[in-house]
Amino acid sequence: MSKKLGFRKALETKVKKSQVAAKKKAISIFTAMSVAHVDEEEAGSGEVRHVEKVLPRGDFYIGEWCDGLPHGNGKYLWTDGCMYVGGWFKGKIMGKGKFCWPSGATYEGEFKSGFMDGQGTFTGFSGDSYKGSWVMNLKHGQGIKNYFNGDYYEGEWRTGFQEGEGRYQWTNGIHYDGQWKNGLMNGNGRMEWSDGNSYGGCWEDGFPKGNGTFRWPDGSSYVGVWSKDVKEMNGTYNPSDSSTEKPDWDPQVVFSEYLKECKICPGEKMSILPSKKMPHWPGMGKGNDQGRPRRMSDGKLNCHSFSSDMHDVSAISEGDSKDDDDGIESLCLEDSTSRGSLPHFKTPTKRQGQTISKGHKNYELMLNLQLGIRHSVGRPGPVISLDLKSSAFDPKEKVWTKFPPEGSKHTPPHQSSDFRWKDYCPLVFRTLRKLFDVDAADYMISICGDDALRELSSPGKSGSFFYLTNDDKYMIKTIKKAEVKVLLRMLPAYYNHVRSFENTLVTKFYGLHCVKLTGTAQKKVRFVIMGNLLCTHYTIHRRFDLKGSSHGRTTSKPESEIDPSTTLKDLDLNYLFRLEKTWFEEFCRQVDRDCDLLEQERIMDYSLLVGFHFREVPTPLASGAVTPTGNADHENEEVPRLSQTGQDQLDSEPSGGSSIRLGISMPARIEKTVRKPECETQLVGEPTGVFYDVILFFAVDPKQYSKRFRDFIFKIFVEDT
């Protein structure tokens, strides 16, 4: 411990000294120079020239300059001692370059809009280094990491953590070869100790879990099921030919002793990300309204069958979101291509849906629903195992509960009328919620808390009603008896699929229930609870429900009524989605898997829900009004920025973007397309070379014939080259 403290103090002293030296150097450079001010007269439009400029805050730039912006090769010095030398494109750090921190740490490699993005090498002040692939400041792809304590990792990374196949070598001679997830050994792998002992088999969260074999150098082995829980441990000792007797050996010693010295080194954190140092230049972002989405023809939605209105999950308005910010700073993948001016957006004046308060015709139904959910989720149950018996999926596996107004032994008194509550396959859905990392308490608060649900103003095309939780996390949809049967029929395959493929794009289902009202009506209301794909701190500027069909696939709203809460359709789409290579490959694999599942279950109707956030749309003013992005003057307009919460998170944790995954918060480019005037039903328009940087969200919803759907999806989602 004393050695570690001494090492840490030495590092801190080194950093402080280097920062002081860097600041002194920067001050001496600035005070010794007499150069042109940034606001002086510029050369003619389009002319590239060499300049030396002191910026208003005291920063200094020397290099190529065009139209009032750094463009070409140049060096930028910040007053805090940070420095960048390399390529610029229209005022943004772009291409190959080198960023230096005051501590002495450096990154040399590819940049996109100030983000470390592409191939590059980071060398830390403590001796840490990483050489490999980056996406949005995060290690992503193949890479080699050397840690300051002497450890070493070579293999695959995802959003800043080891994930995929990789080898980790400890300084004490121990090494692990195998699969990783979220920075921990997970999946199949083999660990070998310096004394020749080894374990090969299944791992979970950094420990042996499941089938595996421990071997000794003499050839003897212990084969069985491994777990930190002694009750789950079960195995057999197999002696070698030279062994004469069974040793007195407890397999739990692997957990208590052998793995003690196999901790994954956390590595060095960057003091500040290069993208957070990006200068904001006057006049950037001016443009016209060329990027505005254009509706090509009129028509009405014509779809039916199971879950035929689930696209309305994406129709939730962001409402009174506190911040219209970007989470992590804007990523622009410009290179030498054209940049489109940002579309103009009509802002919804209020949250979508009507709050269900007392006097509403469905007020009692909402109370019944909330009482039932609270009872189902809060009811004590056995410890959840992901290995479910087939009986749990039996359609007859359901639980009825009576809710008299005066209360009962198992239910509380309430102000609603007498009703009965049914849970379908309760153990399966309870396990699904665990599989989807849904906390039971948070789930109940979202649905059954003090805030009322919101009902969409009109039922969907199938006659279903939709209810939104106040926090927008969950969508509750009323469904018909036939739809319940379909969902129960496919439940075993659905469960196995989402368990096997955590990046599945298929809609997440959290519960299936029924309320039976008493009295003369004897009415039954069945409903399913689903996740809301577009519940995010990003403002969703455009949302689409895509089927790969042209028949009736355009929005019936006039142009003037389209706002960010409008769900657009195939013939309204005028973009191609360009995904980074690793994302594109994974996307193609997962769409095929998901479509195979739905085909296997004879679900012949599904679609892709897509929402995206333009990364450079200006933030709202204090009044809540959004600054226009059309022909207005942008010089005094506030640039996109992080909320304080997001800012603090990124300052403290550079890999704070780890929530990025397939279909969730994905950075991408979209390219504007234009349909031929003579072909109004053309599904995919012609590329224009005009690009926008976006954050993407998407999910497969049971709706559309597979082959046509796949062909269409793989035309509009392409690899970003």
Side-chain angles (χ1 to χ4, degrees), residues 301 308-309 311-312 456 458-466 477-478:
L301 172 66
S308 59
D309 286 321
H311 65 275
D312 287 334
L456 295 188
S458 61
K461 299 297 179 181
S462 67
S464 296
F465 280 87
F466 293 88
K477 178 195 174 187
T478 63

Side-chain angles (χ1 to χ4, degrees), residues 122-133:
F122 172 78
T123 305
F125 68 85
S126 65
D128 255 21
S129 70
Y130 170 82
K131 181 178 182 180
S133 181

Side-chain angles (χ1 to χ4, degrees), residues 626-639:
V626 175
T627 306
T629 58
N631 296 317
D633 182 4
H634 291 255
E635 296 211 6
N636 298 318
E637 189 174 289
E638 190 173 2
V639 296

Side-chain angles (χ1 to χ4, degrees), residues 152-155 162-181 183-194 197-209 259 262-264:
Y152 169 92
Y153 173 82
E154 180 174 5
Q162 297 98 328
E163 185 156 327
E165 295 287 337
R167 175 187 175 92
Y168 195 102
Q169 177 86 41
W170 284 267
T171 52
N172 53 20
I174 303 171
H175 65 266
Y176 169 85
D177 286 279
Q179 297 175 322
W180 295 75
K181 182 180 176 182
L184 296 172
M185 297 167 283
N186 207 96
N188 291 314
R190 182 177 183 273
M191 179 175 284
E192 185 171 327
W193 284 265
S194 54
N197 293 341
S198 67
Y199 168 83
C202 297
W203 296 75
E204 186 176 292
D205 296 334
F207 296 96
K209 181 69 183 290
L259 293 171
C262 301
K263 305 295 183 186
I264 308 301

Side-chain angles (χ1 to χ4, degrees), residues 326-347:
D326 287 329
I328 44 186
E329 294 173 80
S330 53
L331 170 63
C332 304
L333 309 178
E334 294 169 281
D335 301 325
S336 59
T337 54
S338 301
R339 289 282 302 159
S341 57
L342 292 167
H344 178 80
F345 297 107
K346 178 181 176 182
T347 307

Side-chain angles (χ1 to χ4, degrees), residues 16 45 48 61 143 206 265 282 411 496 498 551 703:
K16 288 178 180 177
S45 178
V48 178
Y61 174 79
C265 183
T411 63
N496 291 330
V498 298
H551 180 64
K703 274 195 194 170

Side-chain angles (χ1 to χ4, degrees), residues 348-544:
T349 55
K350 61 179 181 178
R351 303 185 77 182
Q352 189 180 23
Q354 179 184 2
T355 300
I356 305 175
S357 54
K358 198 164 186 177
H360 189 285
K361 64 178 182 178
N362 287 326
Y363 178 69
E364 282 201 355
L365 179 62
M366 182 192 74
L367 292 182
N368 297 347
L369 187 154
Q370 292 177 322
L371 285 165
I373 293 292
R374 192 179 292 118
H375 172 75
S376 298
V377 179
R379 184 172 52 217
V383 176
I384 296 177
S385 169
L386 298 182
D387 298 316
L388 297 177
K389 296 179 180 178
S390 58
S391 58
F393 297 92
D394 190 332
K396 296 179 182 178
E397 187 69 19
K398 45 198 172 190
V399 178
W400 278 105
T401 305
K402 292 182 178 180
F403 279 81
E406 66 275 12
S408 68
K409 182 179 179 181
H410 303 290
T411 63
H414 58 84
Q415 298 178 350
S416 183
S417 58
D418 191 4
F419 71 95
R420 294 182 69 194
W421 171 264
K422 183 195 288 187
D423 278 324
Y424 295 92
C425 297
L427 181 58
V428 176
F429 285 102
R430 186 169 172 234
T431 310
L432 280 171
R433 292 193 293 271
K434 179 185 178 182
L435 202 60
F436 295 140
D437 292 325
V438 174
D439 180 79
D442 291 342
Y443 184 71
M444 285 194 290
I445 289 171
S446 291
I447 301 175
C448 315
D450 295 334
D451 296 314
L453 302 178
R454 305 198 314 277
E455 181 183 75
L456 295 188
S457 56
S458 61
K461 299 297 179 181
S462 67
S464 296
F465 280 87
F466 293 88
Y467 302 94
L468 314 175
T469 57
N470 189 64
D471 58 9
D472 287 344
K473 284 185 179 179
Y474 304 102
M475 167 74 77
I476 301 165
K477 178 195 174 187
T478 63
I479 58 177
K480 298 175 181 176
K481 186 176 182 179
E483 292 176 289
V484 171
K485 288 182 177 179
V486 172
L487 184 52
L488 290 176
R489 185 195 73 209
M490 69 176 287
L491 196 55
Y494 173 83
Y495 178 82
N496 291 330
H497 185 79
V498 298
R499 185 180 176 185
S500 301
F501 306 111
E502 67 168 350
N503 285 331
T504 178
L505 304 176
V506 177
T507 303
K508 289 181 169 64
F509 297 112
Y510 298 120
L512 185 61
H513 312 281
C514 175
V515 169
K516 182 178 181 181
L517 304 176
T518 58
T520 54
Q522 292 285 309
K523 182 182 178 182
K524 286 185 179 179
V525 181
R526 302 169 183 87
F527 54 91
V528 63
I529 302 176
M530 306 174 291
N532 175 20
L533 168 71
L534 301 182
C535 178
T536 169
H537 66 276
Y538 293 109
T539 295
I540 301 300
H541 296 119
R542 282 290 179 263
R543 57 194 74 205
F544 292 87

